[in-house]
DNA sequence: GTGAAAGCGCTAACAG
DNA sequence: CTGTTAGCGCTTTCAC
């Protein structure tokens, strides 16, 4: 049987109710509730006590409507369910919550269109600020201009755009990639292949650059064909095995831009008869927990997700609270760290 | 240099502006914008066109204040950054977004107090409905009563309470555990130990029951001491190794309530000289992707996280939209599936 | 230190 | 089909 759901019925208590029962004005109640300086300690306490007694809860909509701000922060991420992203989110949530902000989280699912939609929704929802990590596909930033025009703080993290005056939080991907490649070279690899994501995204191009730089510096040689742009989808891991197999020059090193994908590569290559690290040395990226339980354990780049989230949250909240050093806020570069494990060492 | 951040300056356009520039009333504008049936196609189009032209965006606060509803759904989860939870969230987000709902997500971090706080915040934020998966610690449900009293739809998923009239979405943990244990028995295990989380939580007690049931049915014996209550924190995996080592009767089977922890157990036991599955057979729970890349691949119970999220979202939205079969809505039990892999088979 | 009153932008009952 | 109008609950000048 289908029927309409009953609606709330318990009468909500408003500041007027409080005012009436205390014989004061609603304005005084409001001020007391908000710790306005020009209110006597006595009345404030009276109000607070009464409020507590009757279970008063402030109506955010009325308050937001009046104040024209929402105390919520919007977040757009490519995917919720990746170790890295959920860790970042966890950090953002922590500081947001500690500072009395709500979070509205949405995922672009790597689609530019969805990202644009998310952007609209969050704008309409009246978020006070927006935190975003870009979708694979996104190659323009018109949809963010609305926020910039309205001076709604906008911050990119990890997968970022370089928009003037728009702060970003990243790691030094180029340097990290340089170190990863350097490590492989030092381990004796003579033919290192780099497997990465969509080169539209800063993180992947920068890593490619680092890879290239290390190669040039150490060997003087760099072969564009050794940079594989891939969707990093585990289902397509066979393409990598094929690539390795069919290479004329024996491949003995793999620098892969994602731990999860790297781990699948390890598996697939082992199944194809390759020994890791004897035949091929492999280094991943992210320091996903998975890297420690696989066999062999995976050398990787530690990438501080939680910290990135915390910093993103803090920066934007500082910004919102108005106390920010504008000059220095434009970008934060977090430290990464190479973690050497069995997959690159004999 | 520190200074206040500039505030928005672009004039917002309201329905009054639209009304004026079209020489109609604001009510008509409002109706047009909301596709009210009793509005002529002509005016509606006129309004919509104008709205688009001037970049009108509805003010949610005013609308919510007036309608007394927010179009947002609150979610409380123990942790954002677990494979399972982020997958569930991904599912919830998908349907919420498709149906024009926003999501406010918060994490309890397994703490009852934080959960209570989250509960308050979300209530104050005026969520239309609440989706929750309980913290480890939570053992009372007073903090949810507010929602029930106010008839704000409340739904639990995965880690649930049995509150009258409160729908839940779960899997049949007992049956799943039964099957897991049965599988180990059939593989020849004579002394199976169960390692699980806090037995306060339904998911863990139910699994324990299933384990017990299978043992009783097949062997007639059940030993309480073989049920290990553990925090499932990888850092404490040594405790398990110790437990196994010091057992008088040789342990040859392990049913572990969490894949991530199981994987760490596999590693630690291997390091301690045990062969998996030769010495000890191990089965996990969740079908986390990690199970497929570890060596040996881990037998586990497939646990449909994304689907759970989608269903949770759909149920609650159906509820909100008023078209729900109240009688049948009280619980949804999703199908699980045992996935046998190398860790339990010779 | 406190009160009166004018909004904030939208919705919905009522009237026509 | 459209307009008038009274809120929704809170904030914030402007007086006193």
């Amino acid at each position: 049987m289908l029927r309409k759901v009953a609606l709330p019925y318990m009468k909500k208590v408003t500041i007027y109710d409080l005012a009436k029962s205390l014989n004061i004005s609603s304005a005084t109640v409001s001020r007391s509730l908000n710790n306005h300086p020009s209110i006597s300690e006595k009345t404030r306490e009276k109000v607070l006590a009464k409020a507590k007694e009757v279970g008063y809860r402030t109506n955010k909509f009325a308050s937001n409507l009046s104040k024209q701000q929402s105390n919520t922060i919007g977040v757009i991420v490519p995917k919720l369910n990746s170790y890295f992203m959920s860790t970042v989110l966890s950090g953002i949530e922590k500081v947001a919550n500690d500072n009395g902000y709500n979070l509205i989280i949405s995922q672009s699912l790597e689609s530019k269109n969805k990202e644009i939609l998310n952007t609209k929704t969050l704008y309409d929802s009246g978020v006070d600020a927006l935190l975003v990590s870009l979708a694979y596909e996104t190659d323009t930033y018109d949809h963010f201009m609305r926020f910039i025009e309205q001076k709604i703080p906008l911050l990119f993290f990890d997968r970022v755009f370089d928009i003037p005056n728009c702060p970003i939080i990243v790691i030094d991907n180029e340097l990290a990639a340089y170190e990863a490649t350097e490590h492989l070279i030092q381990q004796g690899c003579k033919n290192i292949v780099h497997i990465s994501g969509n080169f539209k995204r800063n993180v992947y191009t920068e890593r490619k650059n680092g890879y290239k730089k290390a190669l040039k510096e150490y060997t003087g040689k760099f072969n564009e064909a050794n940079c594989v742009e891939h969707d990093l989808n585990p289902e397509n891991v066979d393409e990598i095995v094929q690539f390795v197999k069919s290479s004329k020059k024996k491949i003995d090193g793999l620098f892969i831009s994602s731990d999860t994908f790297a781990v699948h590569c390890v598996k697939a290559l082992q199944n194809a008869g390759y020994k890791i690290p004897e035949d091929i040395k492999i280094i991943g990226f992210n320091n996903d927990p998975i890297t420690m339980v696989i066999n062999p354990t995976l050398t990787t780049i530690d990438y501080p997700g939680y910290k990135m989230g915390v910093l993103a949250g803090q920066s934007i909240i500082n910004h919102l609270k108005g106390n920010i050093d504008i000059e220095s806020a434009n970008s934060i570069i977090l430290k990464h760290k190479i973690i050497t494990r069995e997959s690159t060492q004999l």
Side-chain angles (χ1 to χ4, degrees), chain A:
Chain A
M1 189 186 90
L2 258 60
R3 47 180 148 118
K4 279 280 175 192
V5 172
L7 289 171
Y9 63 95
M10 230 187 71
K11 188 83 175 47
K12 294 233 174 67
V13 14
T14 73
I15 52 172
Y16 292 107
D17 300 327
L18 290 180
K20 205 182 300 168
S21 73
L22 290 169
N23 274 317
I24 55 179
S25 78
S26 63
T28 303
V29 174
S30 173
R31 291 195 186 98
S32 304
L33 259 16
N34 293 299
N35 291 313
H36 190 102
S38 72
I39 215 87
S40 82
E41 193 55 32
K42 243 173 89 178
T43 33
R44 190 208 316 290
E45 276 169 14
K46 230 173 38 187
V47 172
L48 261 33
K50 192 73 182 178
K52 186 158 196 182
E53 176 196 333
V54 300
Y56 169 81
R57 313 256 105 207
T58 138
N59 180 317
K60 295 251 172 122
F61 304 129
S63 165
N64 292 339
L65 175 58
S66 188
K67 284 193 304 197
Q68 304 282 344
Q69 59 138 45
S70 66
N71 253 267
T72 86
I73 296 172
V75 186
I76 304 178
V77 296
K79 283 181 122 188
L80 239 32
N81 55 338
S82 85
Y83 168 76
F84 176 70
M85 269 308 160
S86 57
T87 304
V88 177
L89 283 174
S90 179
I92 298 178
E93 201 275 344
K94 177 81 173 74
V95 296
N97 211 297
D98 288 350
N99 285 276
Y101 280 86
N102 273 144
L103 234 47
I104 299 188
I105 299 174
S106 62
Q107 49 184 347
S108 62
L109 299 174
E110 306 289 11
S111 141
K112 178 177 172 181
N113 280 338
K114 183 102 198 289
E115 187 178 283
I116 293 178
L117 276 177
N118 290 156
T119 250
K120 289 212 173 92
T121 315
L122 291 176
Y123 181 82
D124 287 349
S125 298
V127 294
D128 291 342
L130 185 62
L131 263 26
V132 3
S133 189
L134 295 164
Y136 249 13
E137 290 183 353
T138 307
D139 47 8
T140 58
Y141 54 86
D142 302 349
H143 50 303
F144 295 113
M145 290 316 292
R146 185 199 308 282
F147 291 87
I148 294 174
E149 282 160 10
Q150 299 280 18
K151 303 237 186 292
I152 296 171
L154 169 62
L155 180 155
F156 293 97
F157 59 93
D158 193 44
R159 307 209 317 210
V160 310
F161 262 143
D162 201 10
I163 304 184
N165 290 319
C166 199
I168 61 176
I169 298 188
V170 288
I171 62 162
D172 189 335
N173 283 288
E174 183 173 325
L175 181 58
Y178 178 91
E179 289 170 10
T181 312
E182 181 181 44
H183 173 69
L184 288 177
I185 295 171
Q186 288 169 346
Q187 295 302 309
C189 295
K190 299 296 178 202
N191 189 27
I192 303 170
V193 162
H194 176 42
I195 298 167
S196 198
N198 192 323
F199 287 133
K200 264 187 206 162
R201 279 282 66 74
N202 65 302
V203 292
Y204 301 120
T205 44
E206 288 165 15
R207 289 175 199 171
K208 180 176 164 184
N209 290 340
Y211 159 80
K212 183 172 175 178
K213 192 172 163 206
L215 240 37
K216 287 221 167 170
E217 273 184 26
Y218 278 86
T219 72
K221 281 175 259 169
F222 163 75
N223 181 356
E224 187 69 40
N226 272 351
C227 290
V228 181
E229 184 169 12
H230 196 266
D231 61 7
L232 304 181
N233 182 342
E235 286 177 18
N236 302 325
V237 72
D238 282 342
E239 298 167 11
I240 304 302
V241 177
Q242 281 315 311
F243 184 90
V244 171
K245 270 191 185 165
S246 61
S247 171
K248 265 175 277 179
K249 189 170 169 198
K250 181 175 166 267
I251 293 170
D252 57 2
L254 240 34
F255 164 37
I256 305 179
S257 258
S258 143
D259 276 340
T260 35
F261 193 65
V263 157
H264 283 274
C265 289
V266 168
K267 264 294 202 189
L269 287 168
Q270 285 172 335
N271 288 341
Y274 292 89
K275 296 237 174 302
I276 318 291
E278 292 80 359
D279 298 333
I280 305 183
K281 299 186 176 46
I282 301 187
I283 180 168
F285 213 104
N286 271 26
N287 198 18
D288 190 298
I290 204 174
T291 54
M292 293 195 294
V293 292
I294 195 191
N295 225 313
T297 54
L298 193 73
T299 296
T300 187
I301 301 287
D302 184 46
Y303 199 168
Y306 188 79
K307 195 164 177 191
M308 187 175 274
V310 168
L311 276 173
Q314 283 174 344
S315 313
I316 216 74
I317 289 174
N318 276 339
H319 204 119
L320 287 171
K321 291 192 172 161
N323 47 1
I324 189 134
D325 187 339
I326 299 209
E327 306 307 300
S328 71
N330 275 325
S331 64
I332 297 179
I333 300 186
L334 293 178
K335 279 217 211 49
H336 61 270
K337 197 169 65 198
I338 184 166
I339 301 196
T340 56
R341 299 210 186 89
E342 298 161 0
S343 68
T344 55
Q345 294 169 310
L346 287 179

